[in-house]
Amino acid sequence: MELFNFSRRLSSVVRIGKTPLGGEHPIRIQSMANVSTMDTEAAVAQAIRMTEAGAAYVRFTAQGEREAGNLERIRKELNQRGYETPLIADIHFNAGAADVAARKVEKVRINPGNYAPTPELMRRRFTGLLHICRENHTAIRIGVNHGSLSERIMNTYGDTPEGMVASCMEFLGICGEEDFTDVVVSVKASNTVVMVKTLRLLVAEMERKGMNYPLHLGLTEAGDGEDGRIKSAVGIGALLADGIGDTIRVSLSEEPEKEIPVARTLVRYIKEREGHAPIDALPAPGYDHLAMERRISRRIGGMGGGQPPVVLSAETLSSYPAVRFVSITFDNLTDELIRRLSGDEAPVVVVLSSKHRNPLGEMRAAIHRLMAAGCDLPLILRRDYKENDSESLILKASADFGALLLDGFGDGLMMTNEGSATIDTTNLLYGILQATRLHITRTEYISCPGCGRTLYDLQTTIARVKAATSHLKGLKIGIMGCIVNGPGEMADADYGYVGAGQGKISLYKGRQCILKGIPESKAVECLVQLIKNNGDWKDIRIP
């Protein structure tokens, strides 16, 4: 992979109705319905809203063969209204539903973690599905989720990126044996670190095996509001900036059509880097982009030395009177300057910025030059924007800083904005640090976007849970619509709130279900009491 100069990974082309994916086609944006697949009228109306917002594909859950069959009615109704947007059936536990859906819609997504209980049955069922898809010109997405790896994969690899890659490659191997090429791949997690590392490992493994299938990017549960946008831009933006990704879905706990503008802004921002002025740089000796290990720096003034990254502003710099902050760019970072900085008697902290059209590439190049010279001074990452739109500013800053932080670079963050967008930049930067799991300063909510399986009002519930718990110190709380991904995707959450049936909720501590089938009206109250009973009811302290 090219670290410094942006170029998009060239993938194979997959036929998906009249909207092909991969190759030199544009990065496609998609979303997923959250209405019942059996409610044809509501499903059609929502699909139209998503399409008119810019979705290239629309996905529906198909829990069983009945729901899979009704996709034909939705398809026909959309066609009659002049909408030919390809439909995708989302399948989890029911292989029979996949077989039905493959005859009705343009693409079927299956989850290897729960598609079949044994390798033998999996191979038989999956081979049969490939034959149906070939006959009907239907594409397949192999969609591995961090929270639903099979027991067999878990026993061998544990809950790891390597396990997710192994699960995916097993199914891709069968596709190769069957010479089935209309395949899209995704490996998703709610944790941005796991997501990015897994995709990088998967791309490396596919290249090793001579595979170039197109990739679908997304987090399983990003949440809502500003935090959901930050988390999405950190994970998806980092991969797009590496040239990885052919289609994206931003999973927000909001109406599906609201996901589309977020995705479009991200894609547009990264696309601006195409054809940029070349960056002449070399990786530091021994550097492994796949390892994502944090750069080692000395500790100066509470910065560096393995401490959580700090958030700085022009005003707070004066609170470090014993520290000399030196601003640098890639262009002025000579060997002589590095020697002077490293040998300076006064404690020095480096502030790195870039005005290049590919700021990630140029800032990476400067950091690699520092590492190659053995310079271990703390490093503050600085970005300066001229944004008038608040959402655009949030997404761009999250993508820029997030990519570098996930690489392992940065002992602190600093940003300015000369445009009219008005946001709390300090809060934004702490949100980015939280999304990269480098500095936990607030309650984190791992909430799914909802789908036809969700049996309660997700958005209202999230608001109620946040109102009751957002003041707590550094807890992670999962809010899941159903059992499919719930316990797994919130595996690293401290507490979980999971839909268990119509009007019923189950509460978890970690992976363990503590209370089952609680009436929804009492569930938030019970969650609060569960947190208190376990001694985790502690007020948050923002630095």
Side-chain angles (χ1 to χ4, degrees):
M1 195 203 81
E2 171 58 61
L3 289 174
F4 312 115
N5 294 287
F6 176 79
S7 63
R8 187 175 161 199
R9 169 184 172 266
L10 186 61
S11 63
S12 58
V13 175
V14 170
R15 300 168 298 172
I16 307 175
K18 296 182 179 180
T19 310
L21 175 68
E24 296 183 354
H25 292 288
I27 295 173
R28 307 295 192 186
I29 293 164
Q30 58 181 278
S31 187
M32 183 172 181
N34 60 9
V35 298
S36 170
T37 308
M38 295 306 299
D39 189 339
T40 305
E41 183 177 347
V44 169
Q46 193 169 68
I48 291 173
R49 291 197 299 273
M50 284 188 270
T51 298
E52 293 184 342
Y57 311 119
V58 172
R59 182 157 43 117
F60 288 93
T61 184
Q63 304 98 305
E65 295 183 22
R66 191 169 68 106
E67 288 84 359
N70 200 57
L71 289 170
E72 183 174 25
R73 294 181 62 192
I74 296 170
R75 174 75 280 162
K76 287 181 178 178
E77 187 66 31
L78 285 168
N79 288 346
Q80 289 174 5
R81 300 189 191 188
Y83 292 90
E84 296 184 333
T85 308
L87 301 185
I88 303 169
D90 192 70
I91 310 293
H92 280 272
F93 296 98
N94 195 324
D99 293 348
V100 172
R103 297 181 171 95
K104 311 296 184 184
V105 295
E106 291 82 357
K107 182 179 171 187
V108 172
R109 177 273 172 118
I110 62 163
N111 183 341
N114 50 39
Y115 185 70
T118 67
E120 296 77 16
L121 185 57
M122 177 272 288
R123 176 174 287 273
R124 186 166 69 250
R125 285 180 173 174
F126 187 52
T127 300
L129 176 62
L130 293 180
H131 292 168
I132 295 170
C133 287
R134 194 193 312 276
E135 292 169 2
N136 291 272
H137 307 291
T138 306
I140 281 181
R141 170 157 71 97
I142 297 171
V144 178
N145 277 8
H146 185 218
S148 54
L149 294 175
S150 69
E151 183 178 356
R152 178 167 52 88
I153 291 291
M154 288 285 286
N155 289 339
T156 304
Y157 296 93
D159 191 11
T160 64
E162 290 78 9
M164 296 172 71
V165 171
S167 178
C168 183
M169 294 302 295
E170 183 175 51
F171 276 68
L172 288 179
I174 298 173
C175 292
E177 292 169 9
E178 295 294 322
D179 194 27
F180 186 90
T181 58
D182 283 328
V183 181
V184 184
V185 181
S186 71
V187 285
K188 293 188 178 184
S190 61
N191 180 320
T192 60
V193 181
V194 172
M195 171 204 172
V196 171
K197 183 167 186 175
T198 305
L199 259 298
R200 289 177 176 174
L201 288 171
L202 176 63
V203 169
E205 182 64 12
M206 285 202 300
E207 287 179 353
R208 193 175 71 83
K209 296 284 183 68
M211 299 176 177
N212 62 340
Y213 298 109
L215 294 168
H216 169 124
L217 304 185
L219 289 155
T220 43
E221 293 89 15
D224 65 349
E226 181 174 308
D227 286 344
R229 284 157 177 77
I230 291 171
K231 199 171 180 182
S232 297
V234 164
I236 297 172
L239 291 164
L240 289 176
D242 281 349
I244 296 171
D246 300 280
T247 179
I248 68 172
R249 190 262 172 116
V250 174
S251 299
L252 298 175
S253 301
E254 302 174 18
E255 290 305 308
E257 55 267 32
K258 290 189 177 181
E259 299 176 348
I260 309 300
V262 177
R264 294 177 73 172
T265 298
L266 270 176
V267 170
R268 186 167 56 245
Y269 181 49
I270 301 301
K271 185 176 174 58
E272 290 172 358
R273 302 172 190 190
E274 292 180 348
H276 65 73
I279 300 167
D280 186 14
L282 293 172
Y287 175 76
D288 182 0
H289 188 60
L290 300 180
M292 296 172 58
E293 295 174 349
R294 195 168 174 195
R295 169 182 172 263
I296 297 173
S297 61
R298 73 180 79 169
R299 185 171 183 177
I300 295 176
M303 293 167 280
Q307 300 298 304
V310 299
V311 170
L312 298 176
S313 65
E315 293 74 24
T316 57
L317 289 181
S318 60
S319 65
Y320 296 90
V323 176
R324 180 184 171 213
F325 291 92
V326 177
S327 296
I328 66 166
T329 65
F330 176 65
D331 288 337
N332 69 18
L333 188 59
T334 63
D335 291 341
E336 176 58 27
L337 176 59
I338 294 173
R339 281 193 294 271
R340 291 208 321 265
L341 293 176
S342 300
D344 199 308
E345 293 183 2
V348 172
V349 172
V350 174
V351 180
L352 173 64
S353 62
S354 171
K355 294 184 179 179
H356 197 279
R357 190 145 57 94
N358 180 10
L360 171 62
E362 190 177 66
M363 293 174 81
R364 273 178 174 167
I367 297 167
H368 278 265
R369 186 173 288 177
L370 288 170
M371 292 194 299
C375 178
D376 65 349
L377 295 173
L379 180 66
I380 306 301
L381 308 174
R382 174 171 177 163
R383 293 288 289 128
D384 301 298
Y385 299 96
K386 297 180 180 179
E387 294 296 321
N388 297 322
D389 179 75
S390 296
E391 181 170 273
S392 179
L393 179 58
I394 290 169
L395 296 174
K396 290 181 179 183
S398 300
D400 289 342
F401 287 120
L404 289 165
L405 291 168
L406 290 173
D407 280 352
F409 304 145
D411 300 296
L413 305 180
M414 182 177 179
M415 69 174 281
T416 65
N417 181 51
E418 295 180 4
S420 59
T422 55
I423 64 170
D424 184 339
T425 57
T426 298
N427 188 64
L428 168 59
L429 293 178
Y430 275 118
I432 295 170
L433 290 175
Q434 176 120 352
T436 53
R437 304 296 176 101
L438 287 170
H439 197 166
I440 307 299
T441 57
R442 63 182 76 171
T443 308
E444 179 178 348
Y445 298 94
I446 304 168
S447 59
C448 72
C451 67
R453 297 184 298 265
T454 304
L455 297 175
Y456 63 87
D457 187 327
L458 190 64
Q459 294 180 47
T460 300
T461 300
I462 291 170
R464 290 173 57 217
V465 173
K466 283 187 172 182
T469 62
S470 61
H471 64 288
L472 301 178
K473 181 182 178 182
L475 281 183
K476 293 193 288 291
I477 299 175
I479 308 169
M480 300 295 173
C482 71
I483 202 69
V484 170
N485 292 325
E489 292 301 344
M490 64 178 194
D492 65 343
D494 301 293
Y495 296 93
Y497 182 111
V498 179
Q502 192 69 48
K504 300 293 183 180
I505 304 297
S506 291
L507 298 181
Y508 287 70
K509 185 175 190 315
R511 285 180 177 267
Q512 183 180 2
C513 183
I514 304 299
L515 298 170
K516 295 182 179 180
I518 303 167
E520 186 183 347
S521 60
K522 298 181 179 179
V524 174
E525 177 187 342
C526 291
L527 174 64
V528 167
Q529 193 58 51
L530 179 62
I531 296 171
K532 288 181 176 179
N533 291 345
N534 284 276
D536 291 325
W537 195 262
K538 301 172 184 177
D539 288 339
I540 194 169
R541 297 172 187 170
I542 299 289

